[in-house]
Amino acid sequence: PAPPHLEGKGYSITATNYRSRWGEVGIVARLGDEHIFVEVKTRRGSPFGTPEESITATKSQRLIATAQNSFKNDLEQASWRIDVVSIYLHESEKLLEVSHLENVVGE
């Protein structure tokens, strides 16, 4: 559900499940000249909290390191951010809601 949601907002998906030695990010996209690294979190019910709450300080550091790794030496010249897409499903797997929070993880 996330890529069609993002593409509908004008994002161009450039990679999925991007991995570096520091971690993984679900989607890498572009919106104009900006690179967006999207962490996708899915929840069925709320006994474990919201998807956004699963982004711990350690996970944030790994996402930043993964994003920085993708640019190597060009990071200072590139515009980038980290977003979170939360997908809420019913127990029957029916899509209930997609929430997109921009620029939620920063240095």
Side-chain angles (χ1 to χ4, degrees), residues 75-104:
L75 184 61
E76 291 179 18
Q77 299 173 5
S79 175
W80 63 279
R81 70 174 197 248
I82 298 173
D83 293 0
V84 173
V85 168
S86 302
I87 300 171
Y88 295 91
L89 300 176
H90 186 271
E91 294 169 0
S92 66
E93 299 297 314
K94 178 184 175 190
L95 178 65
L96 297 175
E97 179 183 352
V98 176
S99 172
H100 179 187
L101 300 173
E102 299 179 1
N103 205 29
V104 296

Side-chain angles (χ1 to χ4, degrees), residues 25-66:
V25 64
I27 298 171
V28 180
R30 290 193 60 150
L31 184 62
D33 292 334
E34 189 169 35
H35 299 269
I36 295 94
F37 298 85
V38 183
E39 179 69 3
V40 180
K41 292 293 184 182
T42 303
R43 288 288 185 269
R44 290 165 192 83
S46 59
F48 299 105
T50 67
E52 298 85 3
E53 290 172 335
S54 69
I55 309 294
T56 63
T58 300
K59 179 65 175 178
S60 294
Q61 291 171 348
R62 288 182 181 159
L63 288 168
I64 291 167
T66 299

